[in-house]
Amino acid sequence: MAGRYKSDLKWSDVTPKADWINRRQLMAGSGALALGSTAGPAVASLGAQKTDWGAGLEPNTVEEITTYNNYYEFGTDKGDPAMHAHALTTEPWSIEIDGLVDQPGSYGLEDILKSVTLEERIYRLRCVERWSMVVPWVGFELADLLAMAGVQPSAKYVAFETALRPDEMPGVSYPIIDWPYKEGLRLDEAMHPLTIMATGLYDEPMPNQNGAPIRLVVPWKYGYKSIKSVVRISLVEEQPPTAWNNYSANEYGFYSNVNPDRDHPRWSQKYERRVGGGLFAKQEPTLFMNGYADEVGSLYAGMDLIENH
Ligand SMILES: Nc1nc2c(c(=O)[nH]1)N[C@H]1C(S)=C(S)[C@@H](COP(=O)(O)O)O[C@H]1N2
Ligand SMILES: [Mo]
């Protein structure tokens, strides 16, 4: 498609050797940082197809990506998910697909994975809190999963829900948001080829703290739209309620497209800081649509993006 970034580079070609060493230490190391439930030095590579997405972007290290997280079900500190998310049971896993679809039902992750092609997608991730990263995700297009279920013409939006497991998620005993974590997209956003369901990163199964075994990734929106550990996908006619919008609608809009011109009521969104750059990392200008405006700008033609923030 037009606007794809062109390159033959894979993350392993552009990741400095020090990161490899980091990563090997990590994998040989503590269970808290284990990569997925079968983690350990013998974990098989996912063998994801390399793609053109993300050429020229240098990924953050696996250590940065797996130790600086937002996953409030496991605590609100950036280090909490790495400490606690190992308790999440990720096998077996299924996603309930319901609402306006031809084939509603429970879709086993194993079965889903038999009928999709895993690709590596190196994407920028921009959190509404102003930090950013670059992550080499492994996943497949959400459109492929929606096609399996058969979207009916009356469907206009897609709603997502994270697992709610009080026994495994220490964070849900605090009523920070109205659990389970919920998100939503307009159908055309969900069908866009940039929108993926990710099952891994750095060519390994998804670490629990990053949303194992399967999470949404929508790179042109603030990170909170990219809901983790998805157990339900509903095709609906009306704009669905979402966790952060319910919490504070003026701060967190339904669209949440990255936009340097629409400040958060409590801080400017003009700049961001890349995780891993050290205490004195310089700020960089926030990119409109997180740098993906060429691909997705047309989805919002004619819309007031301040009002529809
Ligand atoms: N279920 C769930 N999904 C979630 C979150 C969360 O707290 N719970 N945090 C969101 C936020 S605010 C961000 S920035 C990203 C962070 O993804 P990462 O930890 O893989 O970098 O996950 C998003 N998905
Ligand atoms: Mo975030």
Side-chain angles (χ1 to χ4, degrees):
M1 67 172 280
R4 277 213 176 180
Y5 306 105
K6 188 75 202 146
S7 161
D8 300 324
L9 288 180
K10 206 179 142 88
W11 73 271
S12 46
D13 302 325
V14 295
T15 303
K17 185 114 183 259
D19 298 351
W20 274 100
I21 293 163
N22 242 334
R23 174 160 175 262
R24 284 175 46 218
Q25 285 171 345
L26 191 77
M27 295 186 64
S30 79
L33 293 175
L35 293 166
S37 53
T38 54
V43 150
S45 130
L46 293 174
Q49 267 185 23
K50 68 183 186 176
T51 64
D52 299 339
W53 297 107
L57 297 177
E58 184 165 330
N60 280 80
T61 65
V62 72
E63 188 176 3
E64 288 156 0
I65 294 169
T66 57
T67 60
Y68 190 91
N69 299 100
N70 276 336
Y71 197 166
Y72 278 20
E73 288 86 334
F74 296 99
T76 54
D77 285 350
K78 293 291 180 280
D80 283 341
M83 249 188 306
H84 301 299
H86 60 88
L88 182 68
T89 309
T90 58
E91 271 180 47
W93 195 271
S94 57
I95 301 180
E96 190 73 27
I97 306 186
D98 59 17
L100 303 167
V101 290
D102 296 332
Q103 328 272 353
S106 177
Y107 287 70
L109 183 55
E110 304 255 292
D111 294 329
I112 294 172
L113 290 177
K114 278 180 207 143
S115 27
V116 296
T117 307
L118 291 182
E119 290 182 8
E120 181 177 76
R121 299 280 187 101
I122 302 173
Y123 282 167
R124 296 165 45 82
L125 172 76
R126 169 57 155 84
C127 176
V128 73
E129 299 162 339
R130 289 172 292 182
W131 53 266
S132 69
M133 287 204 212
V134 171
V135 185
W137 301 112
V138 173
F140 58 91
E141 293 180 9
L142 172 59
D144 294 342
L145 180 57
L146 296 181
M148 279 179 221
V151 177
Q152 296 181 347
S154 51
K156 300 281 184 295
Y157 293 89
V158 187
F160 304 83
E161 257 180 50
T162 294
L164 177 54
R165 309 245 185 92
D167 293 345
E168 298 181 348
M169 298 172 154
V172 303
S173 53
Y174 303 92
I176 304 165
I177 59 163
D178 184 15
W179 312 106
Y181 196 102
K182 292 176 211 58
E183 259 308 334
L185 296 172
R186 219 169 55 189
L187 185 60
D188 58 346
E189 299 177 319
M191 299 295 279
H192 193 280
L194 271 174
T195 303
I196 60 168
M197 297 301 293
T199 58
L201 57 84
Y202 268 116
D203 214 18
E204 304 287 353
M206 190 67 79
N208 282 9
Q209 57 267 44
N210 294 91
I214 183 163
R215 57 93 57 90
L216 179 70
V217 179
V218 194
W220 70 95
K221 294 177 179 284
Y222 290 118
Y224 61 85
K225 296 296 286 184
S226 294
I227 182 174
K228 295 177 171 181
S229 308
V230 172
V231 293
R232 181 186 296 275
I233 298 179
S234 309
L235 279 290
V236 295
E237 208 166 330
E238 306 288 336
Q239 183 176 301
T242 64
W244 288 107
N245 185 256
N246 283 348
Y247 174 89
S248 176
N250 184 36
E251 293 178 290
Y252 311 104
F254 176 79
Y255 284 94
S256 296
N257 295 318
V258 175
N259 188 348
D261 297 327
R262 201 282 176 181
D263 288 341
H264 186 282
R266 290 183 280 131
W267 57 79
S268 162
Q269 289 291 17
K270 290 235 176 322
Y271 295 93
E272 65 189 47
R273 206 187 297 268
R274 180 81 179 265
V275 169
L279 198 52
F280 302 104
K282 74 171 186 347
Q283 297 191 352
E284 295 164 31
T286 299
L287 301 177
F288 182 58
M289 303 271 171
N290 203 24
Y292 299 99
D294 285 352
E295 285 82 8
V296 298
S298 62
L299 297 178
Y300 310 102
M303 274 176 66
D304 180 339
L305 295 180
I306 303 295
E307 197 175 318
N308 299 290
H309 65 90

